[in-house]
Amino acid sequence: MGLLSLGTPLPWEQAKELAHEVRQHGIEQFLHIWRNTKNRQKDRLLWGDEIEYMLISLDRKNRRARLSQRGHELLSTLQIEENEMLNKANQTGEKPDLEALWRPEFGRYMIEGML
């Protein structure tokens, strides 16, 4: 998502009137991207590349998907190895050999992984 630098956001009442259209366009965009990339494999990530993850909780029995609000909890777990390696590097002066860094993202339902 980009920064709104030109224009003015709509008042909520006007935005609500366009919600269905925005939702429909988002679904169409997602399906278009998915169809074009579903068979891609082994894309190489480079230093500095970021992947934003949206955390989803699946209820298979009722066939429902909901955003999971556990991003900070998951980050704590993911960052354990990162923090241990950084502490060791600080003590030994060696460069840490980290596979990924994990950071919070915009919402509690998102996290970011970067190389």
Side-chain angles (χ1 to χ4, degrees):
M1 186 176 306
L3 172 67
L4 178 63
S5 60
L6 181 63
T8 307
L10 294 174
W12 178 242
E13 289 304 316
Q14 284 181 284
K16 276 192 335 188
E17 294 172 10
L18 299 170
H20 177 74
E21 197 173 327
V22 170
R23 207 172 286 119
Q24 183 64 36
H25 186 65
I27 292 168
E28 290 171 8
Q29 281 183 318
F30 171 78
L31 291 173
H32 175 75
I33 292 169
W34 181 76
R35 286 182 187 123
N36 287 333
T37 59
K38 66 182 177 182
N39 295 318
R40 283 174 63 173
Q41 295 182 16
K42 299 184 182 180
D43 282 351
R44 184 178 179 140
L45 297 174
L46 303 174
W47 184 85
D49 283 350
E50 300 175 352
I51 300 175
E52 295 178 4
Y53 298 89
M54 187 178 300
L55 306 175
I56 307 293
S57 175
L58 295 176
D59 178 353
R60 294 183 192 281
K61 180 180 176 186
N62 295 311
R63 298 180 50 104
R64 295 191 65 138
R66 297 177 184 224
L67 293 175
S68 173
Q69 301 289 314
R70 298 174 62 188
H72 286 89
E73 181 183 329
L74 181 57
L75 273 174
S76 297
T77 302
L78 290 170
Q79 290 175 330
I80 289 172
E81 182 180 1
E82 177 183 337
N83 291 332
E84 288 173 355
M85 292 184 83
L86 289 172
N87 288 335
K88 181 180 176 185
N90 286 336
Q91 292 172 357
T92 63
E94 296 175 6
K95 182 179 175 185
D97 186 23
L98 296 169
E99 292 184 19
L101 302 175
W102 297 100
R103 300 293 178 260
E105 246 310 312
F106 168 73
R108 289 180 10 194
Y109 60 92
M110 299 172 73
I111 59 173
E112 177 178 87
M114 61 185 106
L115 299 179

